[in-house]
Amino acid sequence: MTTPSIGQLLDSTVPMARTLKLEYLETSPERAVLRLPDQPEFHNHVAGPHAGAMFTLAESASGCIVLAAFSDQLSRAVPLAVKAEIAYKKLAMGEVTATATLGRTAEEVVAELDKGERPEFPVTVEITRADGAVTGVMTITWTLRPNG
């Protein structure tokens, strides 16, 4: 039996990610890179990707890096998004890519969990167009809620 990839895990547990047909380009503990293909059914009034679709793309990228970085902790804690803030910087057109990075080391977060705390940590996500221009930046604060 093979272990599902982070992308397969997200698609199976988060139907919205599957609905948007997100592409998982990289899902490691250091970085997660997801792409939202250009799909007219998810366009806004100026024929670019809708803000809600870009929010979901970025939040999904953050979830992938959290799953990759803390997969060994899932038996004792559940990852939850606490809050998110997004800034739309430039007009997005066509496909867009989200790149997520952790704002704290996994070791720091796990050390807090080991002390019986409920750690919080930021994940920063840059959303870019195919030409490399940054169209948005999102910061999601995550927590690892201990089970029980």
Side-chain angles (χ1 to χ4, degrees):
M1 185 171 185
T2 60
T3 304
S5 69
I6 297 292
Q8 290 168 326
L9 182 61
L10 195 75
D11 274 353
S12 69
T13 58
V14 183
M16 184 67 172
R18 187 174 56 247
T19 299
L20 289 176
K21 301 178 184 87
L22 299 179
E23 299 171 358
Y24 302 91
L25 307 180
E26 180 182 338
T27 54
S28 73
E30 292 76 38
R31 188 170 96 131
V33 183
L34 277 63
R35 182 172 42 228
L36 174 66
D38 187 20
Q39 301 168 81
E41 62 270 30
F42 301 119
H43 280 178
N44 59 18
H45 62 291
V46 292
H50 188 278
M54 289 192 295
F55 186 101
T56 301
L57 168 68
E59 198 275 343
S60 297
S62 78
C64 284
I65 197 169
V66 169
L67 287 172
F70 301 105
S71 61
D72 60 339
Q73 303 300 317
L74 297 180
S75 63
R76 67 179 185 142
V78 62
L80 298 169
V82 175
K83 62 183 175 181
E85 182 177 352
I86 191 165
Y88 300 102
K89 306 273 189 188
K90 290 186 178 184
L91 184 62
M93 298 299 286
E95 70 180 30
V96 288
T97 301
T99 302
T101 55
L102 288 177
R104 293 177 60 199
T105 67
E107 292 79 15
E108 288 176 12
V109 174
V110 171
E112 287 182 18
L113 190 62
D114 288 342
K115 290 191 271 184
E117 299 174 10
R118 183 176 167 164
E120 289 191 1
F121 53 96
V123 175
T124 301
V125 183
E126 278 195 350
I127 304 167
T128 56
R129 300 186 300 224
D131 67 2
V134 175
T135 64
V137 177
M138 185 172 181
T139 302
I140 306 97
T141 301
W142 283 83
T143 188
L144 294 180
R145 185 190 74 200
N147 296 333

